Amino acid sequence: MALYMNENRDFPNGWAPIQHMIIEGLAKSGSKEARSTAEDIAVRWIRTNYVAYKRTGTMHEKYNVEHCGDFGGGGEYVPQTGFGWSNGVVLALLEEFGWPEDLRMDC
């Protein structure tokens, strides 16, 4: 219960490694519906990272999952920029799912 409450205090922040675990779990489940959901989450995650990067010039530690292109804030310390796990997760998702040519990158 304490873990759930602790994570809930940081809402609406999304963290790259948690997004990646959820996406990979859905994608590898064997269900077509789950894979489709994984792709949808991946597209939204890549998009919000890209839009925030274009606006600020840096990758961020966490992102606001309620507003595309907004990086996260609050918590126990000042959020970091240039964050490695955000960079790595975006690259892993692009490798796994690619980016449809007909899909816009803006929010």
Side-chain angles (χ1 to χ4, degrees):
M1 179 81 169
L3 179 60
Y4 172 77
M5 289 174 60
N6 191 26
E7 289 175 8
N8 200 21
R9 280 188 297 169
D10 207 28
F11 181 81
N13 293 314
W15 301 78
I18 294 172
Q19 298 297 313
H20 192 235
M21 286 186 276
I22 292 167
I23 292 165
E24 286 296 304
L26 289 166
K28 294 179 188 291
S29 73
S31 161
K32 288 181 182 178
E33 183 179 357
R35 174 131 183 119
S36 178
T37 299
E39 289 178 26
D40 179 58
I41 296 169
V43 163
R44 288 186 287 137
W45 187 255
I46 293 166
R47 180 180 282 135
T48 205
N49 278 256
Y50 177 79
V51 170
Y53 175 80
K54 291 298 282 184
R55 198 172 74 242
T56 66
T58 59
M59 295 294 283
H60 297 269
E61 178 183 12
K62 52 189 173 181
Y63 293 87
N64 183 326
V65 298
E66 292 187 317
H67 301 284
C68 180
D70 287 352
F71 55 90
E76 299 175 7
Y77 56 88
V78 176
Q80 305 296 303
T81 59
F83 221 72
W85 68 25
S86 297
N87 305 343
V89 167
V90 167
L91 290 173
L93 295 176
L94 286 169
E95 183 176 343
E96 172 79 19
F97 299 103
W99 189 264
E101 289 182 27
D102 61 339
L103 194 58
R104 294 174 48 172
M105 282 296 277
D106 61 345
C107 293

